[in-house]
Amino acid sequence: MRATPDFNAIYPFTTVPAAGWGKDNTTNEWVISHVPSSQHVEVAEDGKDYTLVADISKATRYPDGSAATIAAVKLKAAVDVAVTN
């Protein structure tokens, strides 16, 4: 985990290894998690909507942490726009 939180960046989302913290991430894949609910994110095909899932294996997977973070930034931007409209 990082010492600096994701507040004002991608909060309420964060990115985590697809196996979860503290476990071997043999695939090197990452997922997006929803911090307030402690659940994981299944991103819709359009990348602008999501569903929360409790099982990390059902979350949308990304090839690395950078790709997951970029997807989280886009998802947050889409959610912020939807909330303000």
Side-chain angles (χ1 to χ4, degrees), residues 30-68:
W30 285 66
V31 299
I32 301 170
S33 287
H34 187 256
V35 176
S37 69
S38 298
Q39 293 189 340
H40 310 288
V41 175
E42 181 180 7
V43 179
E45 286 188 31
D46 64 4
K48 297 179 180 179
D49 199 12
Y50 66 95
T51 304
L52 295 178
V53 293
D55 186 354
I56 197 168
S57 67
K58 295 182 181 187
T60 303
R61 293 173 176 251
Y62 298 92
D64 55 45
S66 297

Side-chain angles (χ1 to χ4, degrees), residues 9-25:
I10 60 173
Y11 185 83
F13 305 109
T14 191
T15 56
V16 299
W21 290 111
K23 298 178 185 167
D24 289 338
N25 191 20

